[in-house]
């Protein structure tokens, strides 16, 4: 995959509002699927699809604990990306 294609995948993944909610939650700490589902007014299937897209873009990773799956931000780069994007949005809307 080229760098341009990887960049495009990342920006497409974070462009959708529900995925930004998920990433914002994961910036704080890992969450179970159930906890992420509770944050969004979406069906389980829709949340699962959003998480799959985030995984394909390598923005989140999973960890299984028994029959529960926990999601976390893939790395510190993703945490910075989310934090900076949210900070910028706050800055733009507060002026």
């Amino acid at each position: 995959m080229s760098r341009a294609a990887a960049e495009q995948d990342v920006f497409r993944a974070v462009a959708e509002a529900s995925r930004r909610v998920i990433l914002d939650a994961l910036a704080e700490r890992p969450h179970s699927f159930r906890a992420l589902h509770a944050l969004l007014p979406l069906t389980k299937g829709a949340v699962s699809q959003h998480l799959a897209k985030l995984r394909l873009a390598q923005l989140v990773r999973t960890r299984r604990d028994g029959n529960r799956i926990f999601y976390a931000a893939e790395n510190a780069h993703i945490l910075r990306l989310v934090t900076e994007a949210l900070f910028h949005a706050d800055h733009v809307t507060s002026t």
Side-chain angles (χ1 to χ4, degrees):
M1 173 183 292
S2 72
R3 180 182 172 140
E7 289 171 357
Q8 187 175 21
D9 286 349
V10 169
F11 283 111
R12 273 191 186 143
V14 299
E16 206 284 326
S18 296
R19 289 185 216 129
R20 287 194 310 273
V21 170
I22 292 169
L23 289 169
D24 186 30
L26 297 180
E28 295 177 23
R29 68 181 189 285
H31 284 71
S32 67
F33 177 86
R34 181 178 290 186
L36 293 171
H37 178 248
L39 295 174
L40 298 162
L42 302 173
T43 65
K44 289 180 182 180
V47 173
S48 180
Q49 288 295 312
H50 285 303
L51 288 165
K53 289 179 182 181
L54 291 170
R55 286 181 67 197
L56 284 173
Q58 298 181 10
L59 299 177
V60 301
R61 58 183 158 76
T62 61
R63 175 181 58 84
R64 184 174 288 279
D65 184 11
N67 63 350
R68 293 174 53 184
I69 297 176
F70 287 85
Y71 292 83
E74 179 62 43
N75 55 45
H77 300 118
I78 302 310
L79 295 175
R80 280 197 310 272
L81 174 71
V82 171
T83 301
E84 289 299 321
L86 295 172
F87 177 75
H88 180 69
D90 287 343
H91 175 75
V92 169
T93 58
S94 67
T95 56

